[in-house]
């Protein structure tokens, strides 16, 4: 995502940092040969329903993001007690899952089984081995959940404010626990946490206080709202002050933890997050191979276009130099800084029209996409992202978050706009919006399996968005203009180099100088974009590989299906069938579509 990059997630596809499950028991027969497959499948269906309810009981923040609603008033305190409870209940859930003979489940249920098990195993690994709750202070920020409640279009005002009132009770304890958890953090995550928590004051604002005073809350609740509102703001400011002092110590003593996690942790995280048939090292090698192939495609287009733009100049023998010169010449065609957000708003209907005219996929007119300026509490991680509703509140708006350029100086803004030039801005909107993230996440909410929608696979989500970029151009978007294809390949190199960069930084100790060289000279990116990507790579691990991993698996699968079905292949049917299984790993969607 470039989503996004949505810390993605942001989809806000944001998930609870501390995952736990209750230890309540369920009535279920153990799976022995005497039990029929039909009975086992019914038992698993019952188990899945109960599992989801237990999941939300122990993860009210996560349930809020998917729109469940029942536990929105609860703010979990991320202390040692909650972690211990989470681990114990996760072990209990694994024991329940182990009572099923996976071979007796139907193909659809097998996928759910593997998704649940991956999530549970990952939770234990996160708590006991990865331990980002100790070294990533940006894990702790209450603003997003409060904003989601406040911004709901479908819930009554008084109901929203009552939930806010109840959640605010635990804000001071929440930040006290956060401070107690932090031990030798990275400098980069500390700085991100300061910036994003400062954005929380855009949520705890005078406007919110005024809304409460005008509401139908009782006089006593209004008074309590003011009290808790003030203590919440104090708690946020206290956390910012704590981190600011910590930042000074980390710099003065050079005592920060490295943001590099090393090969062993990286491979483990890749296996949990991507759920690919490849190891991280194998995917890194595939990316190196694709980089060479795409660069050759760019050489051919540059050779074709050179006489059009440089008729009086010989094309340099250094092909990378020639590509860079042509891209730099074309990139000056872009909107002005103040028109960046308005231009994105203008392009969305154009994309919708093309998709409908080409009959590429059905778009749901009842699921609105709203382009908005990125909220303050989400800034500092990605310039563009999608915040999508969950399966329980699927009628809510999907927000396309775009950070305006008014905070940039003229030189920085020009560099940024050259990166997101006339052609690439369109590709960005395909990726983030239509038919990329926005369309895929609408379909995910319609999946008959809640497990697949809830336990979304980042590589499939990001891979779909990257896949649609090429698919749209293949279907004629941009009228097969070679300039559009050149810029597409430049953009695709970004996806490929995301994988190379992330692996090289986290495993091979790539320096910033080497990273910027890869992005600027190897992928023809502007310095502002390269600097931003380096920063992002220091604030995440593995996620940057999800784009390329998912894209390659989806595109290769589609080509296999085209060969297999011949004249019976329908692109629209492929798209809608593929998306019907929720945000599942591609390796699980393949057998489901074959069935």
């Amino acid at each position: 995502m470039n989503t996004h990059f949505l810390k993605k997630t942001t989809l806000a596809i944001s998930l609870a940092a501390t995952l736990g499950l209750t230890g309540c028991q369920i009535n279920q027969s153990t799976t022995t040969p005497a039990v029929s497959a039909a009975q086992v499948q019914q038992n698993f269906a019952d188990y899945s329903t109960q599992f989801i309810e237990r999941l939300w009981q122990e993860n009210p923040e996560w349930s809020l993001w998917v729109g469940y609603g029942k536990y929105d008033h609860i703010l979990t305190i991320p202390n040692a007690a909650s972690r211990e409870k989470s681990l114990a209940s996760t072990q209990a859930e694994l024991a329940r899952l182990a009572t099923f003979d996976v071979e007796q489940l139907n193909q659809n249920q097998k996928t759910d089984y593997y998704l649940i098990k991956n999530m549970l195993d990952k939770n234990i690994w996160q708590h006991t081995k990865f331990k980002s709750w100790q070294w990533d202070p940006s894990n702790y920020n209450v603003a997003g959940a409060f904003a989601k409640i406040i911004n709901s279009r479908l819930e009554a005002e008084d109901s929203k404010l009552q939930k806010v009132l109840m959640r605010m009770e635990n804000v001071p304890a929440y930040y006290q626990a956060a401070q107690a958890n932090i031990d030798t953090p990275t400098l980069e995550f500390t700085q991100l946490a300061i910036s994003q928590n400062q954005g929380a004051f855009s949520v705890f604002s005078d406007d919110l206080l005024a809304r409460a005073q005008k509401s139908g809350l009782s006089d006593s609740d209004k008074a309590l709202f003011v009290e808790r509102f003030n203590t919440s703001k104090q708690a946020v400011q206290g956390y910012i002050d704590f981190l600011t002092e910590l930042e000074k110590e980390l710099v003065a003593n050079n005592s920060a933890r490295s943001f590099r996690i090393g090969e062993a942790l990286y491979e483990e995280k890749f296996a949990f997050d991507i759920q690919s048939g490849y190891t991280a090292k194998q995917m890194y090698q595939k990316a190196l191979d694709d980089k060479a192939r795409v660069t050759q495609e760019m050489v051919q287009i540059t050779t074709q276009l050179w006489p059009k733009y440089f008729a009086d100049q010989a094309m340099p023998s250094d092909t990378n130099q020639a590509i860079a010169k042509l891209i730099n010449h074309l990139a000056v065609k872009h909107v002005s800084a103040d028109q960046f957000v308005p231009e994105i708003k203008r392009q969305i209907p154009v994309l919708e029209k093309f998709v409908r005219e080409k009959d590429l996929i059905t778009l749901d007119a009842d699921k609105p996409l709203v382009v908005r300026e990125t909220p303050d509490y989400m800034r500092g991680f990605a310039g563009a992202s999608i915040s999508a509703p969950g399966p329980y509140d699927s009628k809510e708006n999907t927000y396309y978050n775009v950070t305006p350029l008014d905070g940039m100086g003229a030189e920085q803004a020009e560099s940024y706009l050259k990166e997101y030039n006339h052609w690439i801005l369109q590709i960005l909107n395909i990726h983030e919006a239509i038919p990329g993230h926005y369309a895929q996440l609408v379909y995910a909410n319609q999946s008959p399996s809640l497990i697949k929608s809830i336990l979304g696979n980042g590589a499939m989500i990001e891979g779909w968005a990257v896949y649609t970029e090429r698919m749209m151009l293949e279907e004629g978007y941009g009228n097969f203009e070679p300039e559009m294809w050149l810029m597409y390949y430049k953009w695709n190199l970004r996806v490929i180099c995301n994988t190379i960069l992330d692996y090289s930084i986290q495993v091979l100790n790539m320096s910033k100088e080497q990273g910027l060289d890869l992005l600027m000279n190897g992928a023809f990116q502007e310095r502002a974009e390269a600097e931003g990507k380096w920063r992002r790579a220091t604030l995440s691990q593995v996620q940057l590989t999800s784009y390329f991993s998912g894209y390659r698996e989806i595109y290769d699968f589609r080509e296999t299906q085209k060969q297999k079905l011949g004249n019976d292949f329908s692109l629209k049917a492929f798209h809608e069938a593929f998306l019907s299984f929720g945000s599942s790993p591609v390796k699980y969607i393949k057998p489901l579509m074959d069935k």
Side-chain angles (χ1 to χ4, degrees):
M1 269 179 200
N2 194 339
T3 18
H4 126 68
F5 169 39
L6 297 192
K7 184 179 179 182
K8 267 123 99 250
T9 260
T10 288
L11 247 159
I13 323 185
S14 299
L15 305 183
T18 308
L19 172 66
L21 305 162
T22 63
C24 57
Q25 298 298 313
I26 59 174
N27 294 322
Q28 176 197 315
S29 302
T30 57
T31 55
T32 67
V35 180
S36 70
Q39 185 60 56
V40 172
Q41 291 167 19
Q42 181 58 54
N43 290 348
F44 188 80
D46 295 340
Y47 162 80
S48 297
T49 300
Q50 297 168 35
F51 162 78
I52 291 170
E53 175 58 27
R54 289 193 296 273
L55 184 66
W56 301 149
Q57 287 176 2
E58 289 296 323
N59 294 273
E61 286 79 15
W62 190 352
S63 77
L64 189 158
W65 283 111
V66 300
Y68 187 61
K70 190 175 179 180
Y71 306 112
D72 291 357
H73 61 288
I74 299 172
L75 174 62
T76 303
I77 300 172
N79 54 20
S82 67
R83 288 192 296 276
E84 290 170 5
K85 180 181 178 183
S86 173
L87 284 170
S89 52
T90 301
Q91 293 286 7
E93 201 68 51
L94 280 168
R96 292 189 188 92
L97 196 64
T99 64
F100 292 99
D101 178 2
V102 70
E103 294 306 316
Q104 290 188 283
L105 302 176
N106 63 43
Q107 196 68 33
N108 188 56
Q109 290 178 325
K110 285 180 182 178
T111 303
D112 288 356
Y113 179 99
Y114 293 131
L115 288 171
I116 293 170
K117 189 173 189 307
N118 183 77
M119 184 207 72
L120 297 170
D121 288 340
K122 180 181 177 181
N123 184 47
I124 294 173
W125 176 82
Q126 284 176 322
H127 278 317
T128 62
K129 192 169 184 180
F130 196 59
K131 297 183 178 179
S132 62
W133 52 270
Q134 289 183 334
W135 48 263
D136 179 3
S138 72
N139 275 330
Y140 309 107
N141 190 335
V142 299
F146 278 102
K148 190 172 192 307
I149 294 171
I150 294 165
N151 293 334
S152 172
R153 296 184 307 120
L154 305 178
E155 190 170 359
E157 177 79 348
D158 288 356
S159 175
K160 292 189 292 186
L161 292 170
Q162 190 66 45
K163 289 179 179 179
V164 169
L165 174 62
M166 297 175 73
R167 285 180 65 83
M168 285 193 300
E169 180 180 12
N170 277 351
V171 170
Y174 174 96
Y175 280 113
Q176 288 172 8
Q179 292 187 34
N181 289 343
I182 295 170
D183 181 18
T184 317
T186 78
L187 178 62
E188 294 78 10
F189 277 122
T190 303
Q191 293 169 337
L192 178 66
I194 292 170
S195 173
Q196 291 190 331
N197 274 277
Q198 286 170 338
F201 296 120
S202 67
V203 178
F204 294 106
S205 65
D206 291 343
D207 176 67
L208 176 60
L209 204 55
R211 285 170 61 175
Q213 294 307 305
K214 295 176 184 177
S215 72
L217 295 179
S218 67
D219 289 344
S220 59
D221 277 350
K222 287 179 179 178
L224 186 58
F225 197 101
V226 173
E227 178 185 332
R228 289 181 177 175
F229 176 89
N230 290 331
T231 57
S232 293
K233 289 185 67 174
Q234 291 168 6
V236 173
Q237 187 60 55
Y239 188 56
I240 293 170
D241 293 342
F242 164 78
L243 293 177
T244 302
E245 289 302 311
L246 181 58
E247 178 190 15
K248 293 176 183 177
E249 293 176 15
L250 296 175
V251 172
N253 301 326
N254 193 26
S255 56
R257 173 192 172 107
S258 171
F259 60 81
R260 307 176 196 271
I261 63 174
E263 184 173 10
L265 285 176
Y266 192 91
E267 284 285 1
E268 291 168 0
K269 195 171 193 297
F270 183 89
F272 283 126
D273 291 358
I274 304 300
Q275 299 184 70
S276 168
Y278 299 98
T279 65
K281 188 174 184 178
Q282 289 170 333
M283 193 59 72
Y284 166 72
Q285 186 58 55
K286 286 175 72 69
L288 290 175
D289 295 341
D290 264 24
K291 180 177 181 292
R293 177 185 58 79
V294 168
T295 302
Q296 278 305 113
E297 295 281 358
M298 298 177 76
V299 170
Q300 292 181 20
I301 296 175
T302 299
T303 302
Q304 173 190 350
L305 289 176
W306 192 266
K308 178 179 177 180
Y309 292 100
F310 304 107
D312 299 329
Q313 300 179 37
M315 181 172 157
S317 57
D318 183 332
T319 54
N320 269 28
Q321 183 182 350
I323 294 168
K325 183 176 178 65
L326 178 56
I327 287 174
N328 193 55
H329 180 80
L330 295 173
V332 297
K333 185 177 180 179
H334 59 70
V335 299
S336 60
D338 63 339
Q339 288 300 303
F340 185 68
V341 177
E343 175 62 16
I344 289 176
K345 291 180 179 179
R346 187 196 67 80
Q347 288 185 16
I348 299 305
V350 176
L351 293 172
E352 290 175 336
K353 181 181 179 182
F354 182 87
V355 168
R356 290 194 172 98
E357 287 179 348
K358 292 289 185 177
D359 202 24
L360 301 177
I361 192 173
T362 301
L363 297 176
D364 191 338
D366 294 330
K367 305 295 191 301
L369 174 65
V370 178
V371 180
R372 69 175 180 182
E373 294 188 4
T374 306
D376 290 346
Y377 60 85
M378 291 174 60
R379 296 189 185 186
F381 189 75
S385 66
I386 286 288
S387 296
Y392 298 103
D393 62 351
S394 59
K395 293 187 182 299
E396 286 281 9
N397 290 335
T398 297
Y399 291 102
Y400 183 0
N401 308 302
V402 183
T403 303
L405 309 187
D406 48 18
M408 295 184 181
E411 183 177 348
Q412 185 184 16
E414 176 63 17
S415 178
Y416 191 88
L417 288 165
K418 286 178 68 177
E419 185 68 31
Y420 293 94
N421 56 58
H422 169 74
W423 296 277
I424 286 184
L425 188 59
Q426 296 175 69
I427 298 170
L428 172 69
N429 291 330
I430 291 170
H431 177 107
E432 295 293 345
I434 296 169
H437 285 312
Y438 160 71
Q440 186 268 319
L441 293 168
V442 169
Y443 272 82
N445 283 339
Q446 299 168 350
S447 170
S449 165
L450 269 178
I451 297 295
K452 292 180 179 62
S453 293
I454 292 165
L455 305 183
N457 175 251
M460 182 273 180
I461 294 169
E462 295 296 354
W464 169 263
V466 175
Y467 160 79
T468 62
E469 301 161 9
R470 184 180 181 95
M471 180 274 293
M472 289 281 279
L473 267 62
E474 289 176 338
E475 293 305 306
Y477 184 82
N479 298 316
F480 300 101
E481 182 186 28
E483 288 87 347
M484 174 65 91
W485 275 95
L486 179 68
M487 289 299 182
Y488 162 73
Y489 282 126
K490 175 186 182 301
W491 179 266
N492 192 235
L493 265 184
R494 181 212 302 250
V495 169
I496 295 166
C497 288
N498 278 350
T499 292
I500 297 172
L501 179 74
D502 198 60
Y503 187 86
S504 297
I505 287 174
Q506 298 292 339
V507 176
L508 305 178
N509 294 316
M510 173 182 272
S511 68
K512 182 176 181 179
E513 182 181 44
Q514 292 170 325
L516 295 181
D517 178 68
L518 168 70
L519 298 177
M520 295 172 65
N521 299 319
F524 312 104
Q525 294 180 14
E526 290 291 321
R527 173 167 288 276
E529 179 65 24
E531 292 273 5
K533 186 57 60 67
W534 172 266
R535 170 176 166 76
R536 183 171 158 188
T538 67
L539 295 170
S540 64
Q541 317 85 21
V542 173
Q543 196 278 334
L544 280 172
T545 72
S546 61
Y547 304 85
F548 177 73
S549 301
Y551 159 69
R552 279 262 50 112
E553 292 193 86
I554 295 170
Y555 193 87
D556 292 348
F557 177 48
R558 188 198 72 178
E559 293 303 287
T560 299
Q561 290 292 93
K562 287 171 70 173
Q563 291 182 356
K564 176 181 175 181
L565 298 176
N567 292 334
D568 292 331
F569 178 81
S570 161
L571 188 59
K572 181 180 183 180
F574 172 82
H575 291 159
E576 296 188 348
F578 183 84
L579 295 182
S580 69
F581 300 107
S583 303
S584 302
V586 180
K587 69 177 181 179
Y588 296 142
I589 294 177
K590 290 179 182 180
L592 290 171
M593 287 185 66
D594 285 339
K595 291 290 183 180

